[in-house]
Amino acid sequence: MSSAQSIRTLLRVDAALCFACGLPGVAASGWLAGFLLPGQPALFGVSMPTAMLELGLLLAAYAGLLLTMAGRARIVPGFVAITVLGDGLWVLGTLVLLLAAGGAFSLWGSLALLLVAADTALLGVLKWRALNRSARPAVA
């Protein structure tokens, strides 16, 4: 599989993960807030159902952008690099959030956040590797 095809596949997998993670926030924001943060109506002054809905909508829109870019005739390396940076920031943000407010999260909510962070980290590493392979000149 070529590097460009690998990147396209990874962008599509990333889109599927983002959509799957965003869907509960859009479809059942109150339930998701209760699952992640039971008995916690707000975190950092933000209503949890509202935050879950907004995050779900954002993830769904990002999934659409990833699919659009994966379907383009030419892979844009700068875009892929930005998604890798975003993956790293998502993982870092998850860890900071759990360290800062970990006691507010349910055990299953914390595990779910760590699982998504692990998937995101893996996708970021794989996209970075594929991007670096595509930047190297072909050897004859």
Side-chain angles (χ1 to χ4, degrees), residues 23-99:
L23 190 58
V26 173
S29 60
W31 173 86
L32 183 59
F35 172 75
L36 293 174
L37 296 144
Q40 190 83 345
L43 184 64
F44 304 122
V46 177
S47 159
M48 289 315 305
T50 300
M52 294 298 104
L53 175 61
E54 290 173 355
L55 183 60
L57 291 170
L58 183 67
L59 285 170
Y62 183 59
L65 176 63
L66 289 168
L67 284 176
T68 300
M69 295 304 283
R72 292 184 72 181
R74 182 179 164 276
I75 292 293
V76 180
F79 174 78
V80 179
I82 289 170
T83 70
V84 170
L85 177 63
D87 293 339
L89 291 173
W90 182 275
V91 172
L92 180 63
T94 299
L95 296 176
V96 167
L97 181 63
L98 286 172
L99 287 172

Side-chain angles (χ1 to χ4, degrees), residues 69-140:
M69 295 304 283
R72 292 184 72 181
R74 182 179 164 276
I75 292 293
V76 180
F79 174 78
V80 179
I82 289 170
T83 70
V84 170
L85 177 63
D87 293 339
L89 291 173
W90 182 275
V91 172
L92 180 63
T94 299
L95 296 176
V96 167
L97 181 63
L98 286 172
L99 287 172
F105 288 89
S106 68
L107 172 63
W108 290 109
S110 295
L111 291 174
L113 290 177
L114 289 171
L115 178 64
V116 170
D119 290 344
T120 302
L122 177 61
L123 277 169
V125 167
L126 293 174
K127 286 188 289 186
W128 181 253
R129 290 180 68 199
L131 192 60
N132 283 334
R133 273 196 315 271
S134 71
R136 280 192 235 130
V139 177

